Amino acid sequence: MSSGTSGSNGTVEPKPPAEWRTYLLTQRNRSAGRESTAIAEAAIEAGIDAIQLREKGVDARQRYRLGRRLRDRTAGTDVAFIVNDRIDLAAAVDADGVHLGQSDLPVGVARERLGPSAIVGCSASTVAEATAAAEAGADYLGVGAVYGSDSKAVADRKDGIGPERVREIAAAVPIPVVGIGGIDADNAAPVVAAGAAGVAVISAITAAEDPGAATRDLREAVADAR
């Protein structure tokens, strides 16, 4: 895949993970009462590279409806549209790919179900997890939580692994690394300097008074650090 180019069917192909500088994960309950589609639209207009349908705590049917809306809004753009956790939902909404956690179905299953052109990402917080995911055929890694994060349930929260772990993982794998967890425009630079292709965020964009301006600020911070 190549960024911004038209495929043989005339559609615009999504940017590959190596070109993802900014990556938005949707979460309505962290969006100041606004709809996730509105947040996504603002981010797309501001130049976001990838959007993930996250929406923890929402039932599958609601996620499906939101996924269809997000697919409609990313269609015709080079913004990659990814679904969190659910291979079946990614297929149902015709997403560009899926992002899997360490407790989700294996990378190989996603590849088998979604096909060779699908973008398959995997979360990792250690070098061992990262190398295993890369060897299994993942296209990119979501590495973190870099600075810790309050986006997970209390029982699932972890202290941040820090940019140095990002550096270790980026050096150990041949696929792009995206830093995630507690990242915003003020602290993105060390993550990128450590070798991350870009950064993934929730609240830094969803909770911002102006999500479009927040997206542009994040893009600028990543660009300056590269």
Side-chain angles (χ1 to χ4, degrees):
M1 293 182 182
S2 58
S3 173
T5 61
S6 295
S8 59
N9 61 0
T11 60
V12 178
E13 295 182 349
K15 290 180 180 178
E19 297 179 15
W20 295 356
R21 306 298 179 247
T22 52
Y23 185 177
L24 168 66
L25 283 62
T26 70
Q27 190 63 44
R28 189 181 186 281
N29 64 7
R30 302 182 66 82
S31 299
R34 297 167 295 196
E35 294 292 335
S36 290
T37 48
I39 301 292
E41 286 171 351
I44 291 168
E45 290 177 4
I48 202 78
D49 297 307
I51 293 177
Q52 182 186 123
L53 172 65
R54 185 177 185 270
E55 302 300 331
K56 297 287 188 179
V58 175
D59 67 43
R61 190 162 295 190
Q62 289 177 292
R63 289 179 75 189
Y64 171 76
R65 288 195 290 264
L66 176 56
R68 292 304 313 174
R69 293 196 295 272
L70 292 174
R71 174 73 288 179
D72 288 344
R73 283 157 175 76
T74 53
T77 75
D78 61 1
V79 177
F81 175 47
I82 307 297
V83 169
N84 181 261
D85 294 346
R86 296 281 299 271
I87 297 170
D88 58 340
L89 185 58
V93 300
D94 193 30
D96 297 311
V98 68
H99 185 90
L100 303 170
Q102 288 293 313
S103 61
D104 294 325
L105 289 173
V107 167
V109 174
R111 181 68 65 206
E112 179 182 342
R113 300 292 184 184
L114 300 179
S117 64
I119 300 170
V120 179
C122 188
S123 296
S125 59
T126 68
V127 171
E129 290 175 351
T131 54
E135 290 169 0
D139 295 301
Y140 76 94
L141 299 173
V143 173
V146 178
Y147 299 118
S149 173
D150 62 359
S151 64
K152 293 182 178 291
V154 173
D156 295 327
R157 293 179 190 171
K158 299 178 181 178
D159 293 333
I161 61 172
E164 187 53 40
R165 181 77 60 77
V166 175
R167 186 183 307 279
E168 293 171 2
I169 290 174
V173 296
I175 58 176
V177 164
V178 177
I180 186 170
I183 298 172
D184 57 29
D186 292 330
N187 61 20
V191 184
V192 177
V199 297
V201 304
I202 302 176
S203 298
I205 292 176
T206 64
E209 182 176 348
D210 184 338
T215 301
R216 289 188 289 272
D217 288 345
L218 189 64
R219 284 177 55 84
E220 183 177 350
V222 172
D224 288 348
R226 293 183 64 81

